[in-house]
Amino acid sequence: MRSLRDPEAKGPKAGATIRTASKPRGVLTRLASDAVAGVSRALGSSERDAAQRAARFEELNHEWNPLSSADTIGTQLRRLADDDRDFSKRDLIQGAVTGALTLAPEVAAPAAKAFARTGAGKRILGALSKVEPIVEDTAIEGSSKLVRSAPKQPLRDVRTKDGAVVTPAPQRPAGVLSDEYVQKPLAGQPRGPRGSGPDSVLRDVARRYAEKAGIQYDPPTEYLRVDPKRAGAIAKAFEAMPHDPQNPAVRGSYEALARETLEQYRALQEAGYSFGFYPENGDPYPSPWDAVRDLRDNRQMRVYPTDAGYGSQGISAEELANNPLLAEVPGETWDGKPVRVNDVFRAVHDAFGHAKNGVGFRADGEENAWRAHLGMFSPEARPAMTTETRGQNSWLNFGPHGEANRNASTADTVFADQKIGLLPEWALDPQGVPPAPAESRLGYWSPEMVEAIKQKHAGSNSAYVVEMSPSEFLGLTASPEGRQALNSTSSIGDFSQELYEASPPPMLGVTLGKEPSAVQRSMGVESLPNLVMSHDGRHRMAALDRAGVKSVPVMVQLNGAAPSALSELPLTPQRSRNSPLESGDTPAVLRNIRPLSKYQP
């Protein structure tokens, strides 16, 4: 069949429906298509226009409309009844399976939720929870999943290396965390010695603690690789951070860190874990991994005492008054010695930061330990926790002594000064970078770049330029999930002005809204929107957004007759049928838009 755009194609006969889809025309599609054509004719459309709308309906139906699965089933059943040689058992089964998979989640989930709220549903769920399996939401997907639990086993005492006998606290039912979470390593995590990889028990203790504390638990699922530039920037920020213990914000964050550290310690104690100090003769662990293995195998670990790191004079009264982490824990002793909050923090961080996911103790391991432990603290405590972990470790590995420290023994390592303060807010973001200076011209076009663009589009009356924020650009061209994917380090890396100027400029392709037709007006449509139909430069815009850039020039290519005086342009976000990630969700109004020929950098 010739295309409708073929100048030699004849118009359709009266009452005909033009079919552009290659699939067989099913019963439901035929009825719906004929209805579209009939309504169009009733509203005053010509036969040709009505046929085109019906054809367009069929084309869309076979790409995404839910009628397509039903059509396939109906068509094949009719062929089977007529003993038609074109009958396909494979197509019938495929249509049935596709329809079932499409409809089942939409129908079953609301029905199950409604039933669970009834008296009978509550009784059944109560009975099921006693015999386990139970229904819980997983930590990774956040979706309900039935997890078959293992039979309950009697608790057995654990004998530690020093002969003490510990009776573990009752374990949580196995269904609360699925095997998919508790046993799955972080994506991209390198293989290491015994002790690396996830510890299902500690992961469960962490989850239970966060639930009890009312913290929205967000455990990482990917292994972080240290970005040396970012780590270097954090090291510089730590170096420049003032020692400011009297600042109310600093004091409040450190007090929250101390309080929540003790709460996490109690959660570990309730799960059967115990801690002590290094013996007098030194480090009992030949390798840091031995400490992790001691924690996993025996639920115990030795910690380097805080007092041993403060020289012969010990902790001064001023230091004790300024730092909540140096306070002694009331009534708590390890090996007969008083315990400071900082001792407890070291133990808790090794458990929930390092051992929980089995990450190491070099630069990458410390970065992952910070990220894993960060999610177990409240927003108030996270700044102080970041200073004590990510800040100090970035300075150690990427500060002025970083090159030597990264391969040094503990005895030869130069450690950061003990300071009480808070890092900039961007340092709390795993992908954070310092904002660009106010005078920065990142993302702007050099005079040479502007001249090259003008030459390429010479004589065009559809090329415009507008200054907009990278976040506005991304809101028009990517969904929240798409923006999150774009902001991953592995996806975009750091911004390079040199590469930026060697590439085509960021661009939005816009189809201007036309005047509504008579049919559309009769249906209440007063205006048609300006639609973003294409784009170029999302990765560069994501890199600029990460760099803190607030405004950059963007080329706008218009499709349609632009008004003679175009000062602002409201835009409707891009929609994509290929990928939900490429569908924007935030409209924008472009102001001070001007022709490319009049743009000056």
Side-chain angles (χ1 to χ4, degrees):
M1 179 181 290
R2 294 182 182 273
S3 165
L4 292 176
R5 295 177 179 171
D6 190 330
E8 298 181 12
K10 297 180 180 180
K13 296 180 181 180
T17 301
I18 298 176
R19 288 183 286 162
T20 61
S22 60
K23 296 183 179 180
R25 188 174 181 230
V27 177
L28 294 178
T29 301
R30 184 181 71 247
L31 293 175
S33 174
D34 290 345
V36 170
V39 171
S40 297
R41 286 194 295 272
L43 292 174
S45 297
S46 66
E47 288 294 332
R48 182 180 180 83
D49 287 345
Q52 286 180 335
R53 288 192 180 91
R56 181 59 176 158
F57 172 84
E58 288 191 37
E59 179 184 353
L60 292 176
N61 169 65
H62 281 299
E63 292 180 11
W64 59 268
N65 195 286
L67 291 176
S68 59
S69 295
D71 273 341
T72 300
I73 298 172
T75 299
Q76 296 305 326
L77 288 176
R78 176 169 49 81
R79 288 176 176 175
L80 176 62
D82 296 342
D83 200 20
D84 192 324
R85 66 179 183 179
D86 289 332
F87 167 70
S88 170
K89 182 178 180 181
R90 178 177 178 275
D91 287 349
L92 175 61
I93 295 174
Q94 184 177 9
V97 171
T98 302
L101 291 176
T102 302
L103 294 175
E106 301 299 326
V107 175
K113 290 179 180 178
F115 177 72
R117 289 193 290 268
T118 66
K122 291 178 181 178
R123 287 193 296 272
I124 292 174
L125 289 177
L128 288 175
S129 66
K130 292 177 182 178
V131 297
E132 309 172 31
I134 60 177
V135 175
E136 287 286 349
D137 50 332
T138 67
I140 295 178
E141 298 176 346
S143 59
S144 294
K145 179 181 292 187
L146 184 63
V147 183
R148 190 171 300 280
S149 302
K152 290 187 176 180
Q153 299 293 333
L155 297 176
R156 291 182 292 182
D157 292 343
V158 176
R159 185 174 297 278
T160 63
K161 288 183 176 180
D162 58 5
V165 176
V166 177
T167 301
Q171 293 187 2
R172 199 176 192 193
V176 170
L177 284 177
S178 70
D179 290 343
E180 183 180 13
Y181 171 69
V182 298
Q183 296 183 7
K184 187 175 182 180
L186 301 176
Q189 182 171 355
R191 297 179 67 90
R194 191 175 73 86
S196 62
D199 184 321
S200 59
V201 176
L202 282 172
R203 281 186 170 186
D204 190 32
V205 175
R207 172 71 177 276
R208 284 189 287 128
Y209 165 78
E211 289 176 346
K212 184 178 179 181
I215 293 172
Q216 186 67 37
Y217 190 44
D218 180 27
T221 58
E222 295 184 0
Y223 188 83
L224 297 178
R225 296 287 184 180
V226 172
D227 182 337
K229 290 185 178 179
R230 179 182 296 110
I234 296 172
K236 290 180 181 178
F238 184 87
E239 183 84 16
M241 180 187 74
H243 178 63
D244 195 11
Q246 302 307 318
N247 185 311
V250 175
R251 184 78 184 183
S253 185
Y254 269 80
E255 288 177 345
L257 173 62
R259 181 173 61 252
E260 293 174 31
T261 293
L262 295 180
E263 292 170 357
Q264 293 178 20
Y265 174 59
R266 295 187 190 102
L268 286 168
Q269 286 182 311
E270 291 172 1
Y273 291 86
S274 63
F275 300 89
F277 289 122
Y278 280 10
E280 297 292 339
N281 58 354
D283 189 345
Y285 303 118
S287 160
W289 285 110
D290 290 307
V292 173
R293 288 189 279 268
D294 195 13
L295 198 62
R296 291 192 176 192
D297 297 343
N298 306 305
R299 298 199 184 191
Q300 68 172 21
M301 189 177 67
R302 299 284 179 171
V303 175
Y304 181 71
T306 299
D307 286 1
Y310 273 82
S312 58
Q313 302 300 319
I315 299 172
S316 68
E318 181 181 0
E319 289 171 325
L320 187 60
N322 288 337
N323 190 348
L325 296 183
L326 295 179
E328 292 186 358
V329 181
E332 188 74 18
T333 60
W334 291 350
D335 308 317
K337 300 176 183 177
V339 179
R340 299 191 185 278
V341 177
N342 193 60
D343 297 320
V344 175
F345 179 73
R346 289 178 176 178
V348 168
H349 184 65
D350 280 350
F352 289 140
H354 290 276
K356 181 176 66 177
N357 291 326
V359 297
F361 297 83
R362 292 292 184 180
D364 283 346
E366 294 292 354
E367 182 80 347
N368 282 276
W370 163 76
R371 173 63 183 89
H373 203 185
L374 182 73
M376 294 179 62
F377 287 96
S378 68
E380 185 181 10
R382 290 179 184 183
M385 183 268 183
T386 298
T387 295
E388 293 293 310
T389 54
R390 196 186 201 193
Q392 290 190 17
N393 286 314
S394 295
W395 187 94
L396 186 147
N397 289 300
F398 296 94
H401 305 280
E403 187 173 356
N405 280 344
R406 283 196 291 273
N407 296 303
S409 65
T410 302
D412 295 331
T413 299
V414 180
F415 291 93
D417 291 338
Q418 292 290 336
K419 294 195 291 184
I420 307 300
L422 303 182
L423 292 168
E425 186 175 349
W426 58 264
L428 277 69
D429 181 354
Q431 309 298 338
V433 293
E439 67 275 9
S440 170
R441 298 295 291 175
L442 285 180
Y444 277 81
W445 304 343
S446 66
E448 295 78 15
M449 186 177 178
V450 172
E451 188 60 31
I453 296 171
K454 286 184 176 180
Q455 289 181 5
K456 181 177 180 179
H457 296 275
S460 171
N461 60 359
S462 62
Y464 287 76
V465 177
V466 67
E467 291 193 5
M468 63 190 303
S469 69
S471 61
E472 284 180 309
F473 187 98
L474 295 172
L476 287 166
T477 59
S479 66
E481 295 79 8
R483 295 194 290 272
Q484 183 177 3
L486 284 167
N487 274 316
S488 64
T489 303
S490 59
S491 178
I492 58 177
D494 291 319
F495 181 79
S496 167
Q497 182 72 19
E498 182 179 356
L499 294 176
Y500 184 76
E501 294 187 8
S503 306
M507 181 275 295
L508 293 174
V510 177
T511 295
L512 295 174
K514 301 178 181 179
E515 285 294 317
S517 66
V519 173
Q520 290 167 329
R521 289 187 183 279
S522 69
M523 298 172 68
V525 178
E526 298 181 357
S527 63
L528 296 178
N530 304 313
L531 297 175
V532 175
M533 302 298 292
S534 61
H535 69 273
D536 185 29
R538 286 190 309 177
H539 287 78
R540 283 168 282 163
M541 283 296 190
L544 287 166
D545 194 34
R546 275 181 49 199
V549 175
K550 301 301 181 184
S551 179
V552 292
V554 173
M555 186 171 169
V556 180
Q557 191 76 41
L558 301 181
N559 179 16
S564 56
L566 182 63
S567 59
E568 66 177 40
L569 187 67
L571 295 182
T572 296
Q574 172 180 289
R575 292 289 181 265
S576 172
R577 276 190 267 151
N578 296 325
S579 170
L581 300 182
E582 297 181 2
S583 294
D585 68 336
T586 310
V589 178
L590 306 185
R591 294 183 171 84
N592 299 320
I593 186 170
R594 49 203 146 152
L596 173 62
S597 59
K598 297 182 180 180
Y599 176 73
Q600 295 296 329

